[in-house]
Amino acid sequence: MGRRLVPLTLDNLPDLPGRCRSCVFWELDPVSGEAALKAGRPGPEKEAWISAVLLEWGSCGRVVYVDDVAAGFALYAPPAYVPRAMAFPTSPVSPDAVQLMTALILPQFQGQGLGRMMVQTVAKDVLRRGFKAIEAFGDARWNGPACVLPADHLLAVGFKTVRPHPTYPRLRLELRTTLSWKEDVELALDRLLGAVQKEPALRPL
């Protein structure tokens, strides 16, 4: 089974699930997002946002493929590029952090360790670009797949609350060095993305 993880670009944006490639929840502020939906233009607005971030900052996501089939993705960017973040009661995201906007492993690919592979790649990219942490807004009342990740899962994998809130706390994961990504944290992050590692911990290489 071939696995590869590549930067998100306009070329592979169509490989994302339909509801995700036309979602502008994070990319636009609430008023602009509503206007885009009413005008039937969320897809073009998503493309325009990704294009702008690519030109100014570089790739803002990763797509994981299994045998050339898109199995999941993660989307992240510095807070200056995430207009919706300012609408949260616990904003702003710290200037030394990248915001983990959203992430997904498709159900049919869960349990293969893809979440672990993706998070490792994102963490290394964030560190390489000189940021000290990953921050995310958590949903304390999460009850199913959504644009905002569940707060309980973020806390379980090592994120710490930096601004509490009954619904949308802001959480932070320090990334002092790549060595901070211990195996137990990586496995926990698999659970966050719905990709629990089911193989024994010790196995032949």
Side-chain angles (χ1 to χ4, degrees):
M1 179 174 61
R3 301 179 179 186
R4 60 190 177 94
L5 212 151
V6 303
L8 175 66
T9 66
L10 291 175
D11 293 333
N12 58 17
L13 176 61
D15 292 344
L16 270 56
R19 68 182 185 276
C20 298
R21 65 174 175 263
S22 61
C23 175
V24 289
F25 178 85
W26 290 111
E27 293 83 356
L28 299 176
D29 64 78
V31 174
S32 299
E34 185 66 25
L37 290 175
K38 287 183 178 179
R41 291 186 48 82
E45 291 289 352
K46 181 96 165 189
E47 291 184 10
W49 182 85
I50 290 175
S51 178
V53 179
L54 279 168
L55 289 171
E56 297 177 14
W57 188 66
S59 180
C60 53
R62 290 292 185 272
V63 184
V64 60
Y65 293 88
V66 176
D67 292 336
D68 295 325
V69 176
F73 74 97
L75 199 60
Y76 55 97
Y81 294 102
V82 190
R84 172 73 66 153
M86 293 306 297
F88 278 73
T90 50
S91 66
V93 170
S94 304
D96 66 348
V98 164
Q99 182 184 342
L100 175 61
M101 297 158 62
T102 193
L104 174 72
I105 297 292
L106 295 176
Q108 62 268 37
F109 295 102
Q110 293 175 6
Q112 301 178 22
L114 298 178
R116 174 180 177 176
M117 183 174 72
M118 185 157 60
V119 168
Q120 286 176 323
T121 302
V122 171
K124 290 175 182 176
D125 183 42
V126 169
L127 287 164
R128 180 181 60 81
R129 298 194 197 200
F131 290 86
K132 296 181 178 179
I134 295 174
E135 291 191 0
F137 294 101
D139 185 349
R141 301 176 182 177
W142 189 87
N143 61 3
C147 297
V148 184
L149 295 168
D152 286 348
H153 290 190
L154 291 166
L155 288 168
V157 302
F159 279 76
K160 304 296 183 183
T161 301
V162 289
R163 283 204 64 187
H165 187 270
T167 305
Y168 295 118
R170 178 162 54 88
L171 305 105
R172 179 178 174 98
L173 184 63
E174 299 288 346
L175 300 175
R176 292 183 181 88
T177 70
T178 53
L179 298 177
S180 67
W181 291 84
K182 302 300 183 183
E183 183 169 323
D184 55 344
V185 175
E186 291 165 358
L187 292 175
L189 283 162
D190 277 343
R191 292 196 291 274
L192 168 64
L193 297 178
V196 179
Q197 177 71 298
K198 295 182 178 179
E199 296 90 348
L202 298 176
R203 58 188 186 279
L205 293 176

